[in-house]
């Protein structure tokens, strides 16, 4: 349990925190080489895809004893200055796959974007319709209140309901100030 917590913290610090700081330092340099910017762009692209598939990997491989440590090792391999594995992973695995399926991905993203927009509009319409309906119900209820309060009909049903509840449970009657039978 503690090992898993430590591994998660290390993944966050070494997989996201440290690379983010290094990327920030690279961007803020006066003269930045295109290779450095390309490296950090590739790193974040690879990490984004790893994060995307992490939920599937976690459910399938979490039972492995050193799964967390392997994830940590992979992230360090990607940015470590001597290995710079990002270039290898990007150029040999990710880039060829993305180039081959780029049009399919573009089409799918456009479809998802359109569906998301349709869903958001439908959800907004349903919420506003429900809100309007409830607003009308509340205003109608409140508009009828003064006449009911004058007649004592609003308070009596509440007290009657409490008495029915108290009669079913004598112990509750004593707690709420009623008489015990």
């Amino acid at each position: 349990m503690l090992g898993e917590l430590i591994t998660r913290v290390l993944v966050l610090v070494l997989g996201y925190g440290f690379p983010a700081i290094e990327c920030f330092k690279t961007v803020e340099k006066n003269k930045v080489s295109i290779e450095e910017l390309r490296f950090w762009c590739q790193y974040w692209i690879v990490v984004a895809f790893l994060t995307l598939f992490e939920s599937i990997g976690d459910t399938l491989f979490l039972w492995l004893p050193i799964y967390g440590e392997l994830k940590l090792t992979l992230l360090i391999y990607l940015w470590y200055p001597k290995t710079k594995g990002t270039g290898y992973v990007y150029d040999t695995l990710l880039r060829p796959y993305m180039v081959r399926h780029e049009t399919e991905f573009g089409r799918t993203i456009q479809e998802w974007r359109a569906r998301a927009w349709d869903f958001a509009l439908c959800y907004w319409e349903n919420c506003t319709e429900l809100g309007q309906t409830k607003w009308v119900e509340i205003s109608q209820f409140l508009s009828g209140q003064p006449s009911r309060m004058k007649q004592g009909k609003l308070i009596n049903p509440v007290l009657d309901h409490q008495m029915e509840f108290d009669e079913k449970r004598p112990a509750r009657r004593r707690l709420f100030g009623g008489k015990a039978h």
Side-chain angles (χ1 to χ4, degrees), residues 78-133:
L78 290 174
W79 61 257
Y80 189 67
K82 291 188 180 181
T83 59
K84 293 209 177 190
T86 297
Y88 177 76
V89 171
Y90 183 85
D91 291 334
T92 59
L93 300 173
L94 189 61
R95 186 170 181 266
Y97 182 78
M98 291 299 293
V99 168
R100 228 183 0 243
H101 301 287
E102 189 173 2
T103 56
E104 293 171 37
F105 289 139
R107 200 173 321 116
T108 303
I109 289 172
Q110 289 296 336
E111 289 175 13
W112 287 357
R113 189 177 293 163
R115 286 182 187 173
W117 184 250
D118 291 343
F119 176 75
L121 286 176
C122 180
Y123 189 73
W124 176 258
E125 288 172 358
N126 288 339
C127 287
T128 55
E129 184 178 320
L130 179 65
Q132 288 173 346
T133 304

Side-chain angles (χ1 to χ4, degrees), residues 13 17 26-27 62 68 73 81 86 124 131 142 154 162 173-174 176:
V13 169
T26 301
V27 169
L62 194 59
T73 305
T86 297
W124 176 258
L142 292 177
L154 180 64
Q162 184 179 359
R173 209 172 317 131
R174 278 183 251 122
F176 293 109

Side-chain angles (χ1 to χ4, degrees), residues 69-83:
E69 289 80 3
L70 289 172
K71 275 191 340 189
L72 177 62
T73 305
L74 175 64
L75 288 170
I76 292 172
Y77 165 75
L78 290 174
W79 61 257
Y80 189 67
K82 291 188 180 181
T83 59

Side-chain angles (χ1 to χ4, degrees), residues 134-168:
K134 291 301 175 186
W135 180 256
V136 169
E137 288 176 7
I138 290 170
S139 64
Q140 287 174 349
F141 177 77
L142 292 177
S143 68
Q145 288 294 27
S147 62
R148 292 174 75 190
M149 296 244 337
K150 288 178 189 172
Q151 298 169 0
K153 292 182 180 176
L154 180 64
I155 295 173
N156 289 338
V158 173
L159 293 176
D160 292 342
H161 180 69
Q162 184 179 359
M163 291 303 291
E164 289 173 14
F165 180 73
D166 288 347
E167 288 174 5
K168 293 178 185 172

